[in-house]
Amino acid sequence: MLLKSEMPHFVALPLWPDDGLRRLELTADWIYKQWPDHNILIEKGTVVNGASIPRLFRNIYDPMGILFLASIVHDKMFQDAWFYICDDDHKVLGRYYVTYEDANRIFEEIAHLSYPDESNAIELASFALRHGGRGTWDECRERQDALINGPK
């Protein structure tokens, strides 16, 4: 469990009228230090929507609850297919590039590290990501391609 001082800080952004999803913007860089491979840096200004839990399950699993920390890193990975890694002094060491499968695996690892007693919720979320997230991943890669190479 993270200390209060290690938690991310956000400001809420207006809802998008077409989908009603909440959006939160990081107001400061956030370092996730519990992942055993590296410290993960998610930079200030990153916009996330938290755990995208279907409405049917929101009475059981709060989108801002046990899956939220893992969803911050997962949202960044889906947006950019990478995240920064840094040392304990917050010095950026480089980018950690991920595939769709990596993003889902890292989400699951972080969720288990953050909330080890919540295996059922984590397994359900991981199943949903593996079987329903590919379209969103592909849309993000298409947007990246358009930004780099221009519209087709």
Side-chain angles (χ1 to χ4, degrees):
M1 192 66 133
L2 297 181
L3 300 172
K4 184 177 179 181
S5 62
E6 297 173 315
M7 296 298 283
H9 298 278
F10 293 98
V11 62
L13 299 175
L15 294 176
W16 285 344
D18 58 332
D19 65 15
L21 289 175
R22 75 201 138 333
R23 296 180 308 134
L24 304 167
E25 181 178 349
L26 275 168
T27 58
D29 289 347
W30 178 57
I31 312 290
Y32 183 81
K33 295 182 179 182
Q34 292 182 330
W35 194 47
D37 293 349
H38 302 284
N39 290 334
I40 298 172
L41 167 66
I42 307 297
E43 64 273 16
K44 175 183 176 178
T46 298
V47 175
V48 300
N49 67 5
S52 301
I53 297 173
R55 291 186 195 281
L56 173 66
F57 296 110
R58 288 185 189 170
N59 287 336
I60 303 168
Y61 302 115
D62 182 350
M64 305 299 276
I66 58 173
L67 301 172
F68 185 62
L69 295 176
S71 75
I72 296 168
V73 177
H74 193 261
D75 283 0
K76 169 65 176 171
M77 291 186 290
F78 261 54
Q79 289 168 23
D80 298 325
W82 61 268
F83 54 81
Y84 287 116
I85 56 173
C86 66
D87 64 17
D88 289 335
D89 295 322
H90 303 183
K91 180 182 179 215
V92 173
L93 302 174
R95 288 183 179 184
Y96 190 101
Y97 290 89
V98 297
T99 63
Y100 172 73
E101 292 76 14
D102 293 333
N104 293 334
R105 176 184 51 79
I106 292 168
F107 167 86
E108 189 169 348
E109 289 172 3
I110 291 173
H112 279 294
L113 287 167
S114 300
Y115 295 96
D117 296 334
E118 298 294 341
S119 292
N120 290 340
I122 295 166
E123 295 305 321
L124 178 61
S126 296
F127 176 84
L129 287 170
R130 283 192 304 274
H131 297 284
R134 176 59 84 168
T136 301
W137 175 268
D138 291 343
E139 287 173 19
C140 290
R141 301 296 67 77
E142 288 172 15
R143 279 195 300 270
Q144 273 185 327
D145 182 59
L147 288 172
I148 294 167
N149 300 314
K152 293 182 181 190

